Amino acid sequence: MDVIKSDIKNREDVHKLVSAFYDKIRKDDFLGPFFEPIITDWPEHIDRLTSFWESSLFLKTKYYGNPLETHIRVDEENNNAISEQHFGAWLNLWLETIDQLFEGDIANNAKQRARKMGTFLYLNIFQARQNKE
């Protein structure tokens, strides 16, 4: 029997998605090593990313932060080791998590926004590396 999934409707749903996603990230041998050493307060990180995605999907909360600056710093702290394969693995886990939990227009929007964000972040990390040379 198929489980009927609903769309992402509110902050509670976004929190469920973000929490499930980062549970996978933390267990992932390829991605976890980038996150575990620098995130010391996981509940706070989950809450911040919930606000980011809630703002992105519903345009109703204010997210204060600079994801690009953060990712450039993490790349520098890891000897410029973040690759397109890392972004691909991140995106695949995000899409998988959405598909496991939700379906609908907002869920599809969350997938599309993640694709665009991953491309934007990776291209700008690469550009930041070039600017340091």
Side-chain angles (χ1 to χ4, degrees):
M1 184 171 144
D2 289 335
V3 175
I4 297 174
K5 298 176 214 161
S6 64
D7 205 350
I8 301 169
K9 296 182 287 298
N10 51 37
R11 183 176 178 86
E12 183 179 303
D13 288 344
V14 175
H15 186 271
K16 178 180 177 180
L17 169 61
V18 170
S19 295
F21 172 69
Y22 278 101
D23 283 347
K24 292 178 184 185
I25 290 284
R26 294 180 77 180
K27 294 174 187 165
D28 189 89
D29 292 337
F30 190 53
L31 297 173
F34 287 100
F35 291 85
E36 284 295 332
I38 61 167
I39 298 173
T40 56
D41 184 345
W42 277 98
E44 191 277 331
H45 183 73
I46 298 297
D47 189 60
R48 186 172 346 111
L49 273 288
T50 297
S51 293
F52 172 83
W53 281 104
E54 182 185 24
S55 180
S56 180
L57 296 173
F58 298 111
L59 307 174
K60 64 191 258 183
T61 61
K62 300 228 188 259
Y63 169 78
Y64 299 102
N66 187 333
L68 178 56
E69 183 179 288
T70 300
H71 286 83
I72 289 171
R73 183 175 39 81
V74 170
D75 183 56
E76 289 171 353
E77 291 170 359
N78 285 276
N79 298 314
N80 298 327
I82 295 177
S83 70
E84 63 274 14
Q85 287 84 12
H86 292 105
F87 278 98
W90 173 88
L91 181 60
N92 286 338
L93 281 179
W94 181 252
L95 301 178
E96 172 188 291
T97 307
I98 291 172
D99 287 341
Q100 287 172 342
L101 299 173
F102 300 101
E103 64 184 11
D105 290 342
I106 296 171
N108 289 332
N109 187 20
K111 293 177 189 179
Q112 188 58 31
R113 286 181 180 271
R115 287 182 188 101
K116 288 180 179 179
M117 182 175 46
T119 300
F120 170 81
L121 289 172
Y122 181 70
L123 291 174
N124 281 279
I125 285 171
F126 184 77
Q127 184 64 45
R129 289 178 192 169
Q130 300 305 309
N131 290 342
K132 297 245 184 221
E133 291 178 359

